[in-house]
Structure formats: structure tokens, C-alpha cells
Amino acid sequence: MDDGRFEGRAAITGGAAASSEPHILLIDDVPEDIRATIILLKQQPWRVSLASDALQGYQRALALRPDLIVLDVHMPHMNGFSLCRLLREAPATRQTPILFLSSANSSMERLEGLTVGGVDYIPKSCAPEEVLARIKIHLQLTWRAPPAMPQSPADPEPEGDEIVLRAAMRLIENQLDDMPSLASLAQKVGTHEKRLTAIFREHLGMTVFAYIRDARLRRGQDLLCESAMSVQDVAELVGFRNACNFTTAFRQRIGMTPSQFRQHALGLVETESAGRA
């Protein structure tokens, strides 16, 4: 199985897909500077994603539509103020709270951060506990859990193994790039490796690892169609070590490379648009 690089508990969900826990995107080119804050955030019941430069952060923000963004100022190629302006113009992130967390802490810089659309400006010298407290405040002010989808009366209530299966599938979908071991995955849904493996084989006809691979490739297809992220970035987000492994698995399953798939998908969209014109 291909293991993704650490990005907190980054759960790669379908764009603005509803979730029962808030999703936070951290954008910082030197994540070591805020490692203590990242560790503290990981201990919360939240989903956390990380981007290492402004462009990557912009693309991930549009694709993942987080509930809150924590943004550095001094980054190469594009600073945080410029990125904030872009995020404030994009419909997908226009209402997303943006908190600056930066070592750039002059009065002029703080004022600019608030002027371009930040809801808070936090010096990196602040204790991680204070950063966490401020994030909690803004989540309380803006985030609301989506209402539960009513189940059709005709649908039978899941029970036993099916509940375990659904819980495991949801956990997998929410942690594609930070997948726990099979033993840990089984433990998180209240069972053990052998039983979880048997449940997947009985209900889905595949192993847990095969399901994870399929889920990663499905989400990879969505991101290729819905975003402008590079193949390398998509590969990392869905849990592959590198673009080569992702490309190989993608070609084996889909019959074309990720780049070819994106070109084909874009071609279909352009053809359909022309037909409606």
C-alpha cells in the first residue's frame, strides 16, 4: 500500500462535501516553525491539511474548501497577503475565515493582513495554546455541522458488520493521505484485522488494501477534473508517495495516465459546452 506524506489528519473529501467535523488548511512554507501548533491541532476532532507554498495553498483551498485557513505571510513567489486577496475573490473561499499566523508582526503588516480580508492576525511567537484558542473562537462563530441526511424509510437500518464496514469506509475516505495501519484502522472501528478483512471480502469482494487503492484513484480522478493541481500534488493528497507510483497505478486501473485523463475530461467538457451553444 502507498503511504501518503504527513499532513495532519488531512481528509480528502469531494470539494465541499459535508462532514461532521471542521476542516482546517494550514499554509506555511516552513511548517517546522509551527510544528507545535500542528501537533496541538492534530489532537482536536478536526481534519487538518497542510500546503507548503502559496500556489499550492491556493489550489488546495479551492479543491478542498476548508472551513478555516491559517496563513503565513512571508512565502516565496507569492506572499500571504496576495494569496488572501485571491481567496477572497474566489467563490469557493470567499466566506472562509482566514487567520494569519506569521513572524511578520509590524503594525503595518498586521493592519494589511486585516485589511485584505484576514479575520485575525497571530504572531508566531504566541503560544500554540493561544493559537488553538483563537481558532476555536472563529470556528464557533462560523462553522456549523451539516444536518444529518434523513434515511429513506424503505432503506433497512445497517447493523452488525455493515455498520463496521460503513465506519471503516468513511474513515478511509477521510484519511486517504494519512492512512493508519490495518491494525489501527480495525481498532478505530472497534474490531481486529482478521474480522475487518473478512467483512470487506464478504461485502465488497475485495481486501481493505484494494479498497483503499480504489478510493485513492477515485479521489484522484475527481481532483484531476475539479482542480488545476499538479499530478504530483494530487498524488500526495490521495496518499501516494510520489507521482510515479500514482501514474503507474492510475494507468493500470484507468487505462491512461493522469495527464491524459485530465486532457480527455477537459475535452469532453468543452465538447458538451460547444454542443449546448
Side-chain angles (χ1 to χ4, degrees):
M1 180 175 66
D2 299 284
D3 296 321
R5 297 195 306 176
F6 162 70
E7 290 192 5
R9 294 181 57 226
I12 313 306
T13 58
S19 172
S20 60
E21 55 189 22
H23 184 184
I24 297 172
L25 174 63
L26 295 161
I27 306 174
D28 196 310
D29 64 315
V30 188
E32 292 79 11
D33 289 351
I34 56 171
R35 179 160 295 276
T37 296
I38 293 174
I39 291 172
L40 197 57
L41 292 175
K42 284 182 61 186
Q43 298 171 359
Q44 310 305 311
W46 305 334
R47 294 153 46 222
V48 179
S49 295
L50 180 67
S52 57
D53 62 54
L55 177 58
Q56 185 183 66
Y58 178 67
Q59 293 174 338
R60 291 191 176 189
L62 296 186
L64 304 179
R65 302 188 183 187
D67 299 293
L68 183 143
I69 296 171
V70 178
L71 178 59
D72 191 15
V73 172
H74 290 162
M75 294 183 286
H77 309 302
M78 183 191 303
N79 67 30
F81 299 143
S82 299
L83 175 56
C84 186
R85 291 187 185 94
L86 294 178
L87 294 172
R88 282 288 168 258
E89 293 298 326
T93 55
R94 186 173 293 151
Q95 302 299 324
T96 305
I98 297 175
L99 283 65
F100 284 97
L101 178 60
S102 177
S103 57
N105 196 34
S106 71
S107 59
M108 291 298 294
E109 287 167 325
R110 295 196 302 272
L111 179 59
E112 183 172 2
L114 298 173
T115 301
V116 298
V119 299
D120 204 344
Y121 199 107
I122 312 169
K124 283 187 176 179
S125 57
C126 280
E129 291 78 11
E130 180 177 344
V131 179
L132 174 63
R134 295 197 188 200
I135 289 174
K136 284 183 175 180
I137 289 171
H138 289 288
L139 285 176
Q140 289 170 358
L141 290 172
T142 61
W143 188 78
R144 296 290 183 273
M149 292 296 292
Q151 192 173 51
S152 169
D155 293 337
E157 290 286 343
E159 58 184 26
D161 286 353
E162 188 176 351
I163 292 177
V164 174
L165 176 66
R166 292 188 180 192
M169 290 168 64
R170 184 182 299 277
L171 181 60
I172 288 169
E173 296 286 350
N174 283 346
Q175 295 193 223
L176 287 177
D177 72 330
D178 189 24
M179 192 62 58
S181 66
L182 179 58
S184 178
L185 179 62
Q187 186 271 332
K188 288 176 183 292
V189 295
T191 187
H192 52 80
E193 294 180 54
K194 288 186 178 180
R195 182 179 175 223
L196 187 63
T197 298
I199 290 172
F200 269 74
R201 286 189 180 278
E202 178 181 349
H203 289 266
L204 302 181
M206 63 176 65
T207 66
V208 178
F209 295 124
Y211 180 84
I212 291 171
R213 175 64 63 94
D214 281 355
R216 284 172 164 162
L217 293 175
R218 287 195 304 271
R219 184 61 190 132
Q221 291 179 66
D222 291 341
L223 289 173
L224 288 168
C225 291
E226 298 170 359
S227 76
M229 287 187 289
S230 68
V231 172
Q232 176 68 47
D233 207 11
V234 171
E236 292 177 8
L237 281 172
V238 299
F240 284 84
R241 288 184 181 275
N242 54 56
C244 291
N245 289 348
F246 176 59
T247 297
T248 298
F250 198 94
R251 186 191 293 115
Q252 290 174 347
R253 181 57 54 86
I254 310 300
M256 62 182 75
T257 67
S259 296
Q260 290 170 337
F261 174 83
R262 172 176 273 166
Q263 292 172 356
H264 180 69
L266 291 176
L268 288 177
V269 170
E270 291 173 358
T271 300
E272 291 175 356
S273 297
R276 289 194 298 267

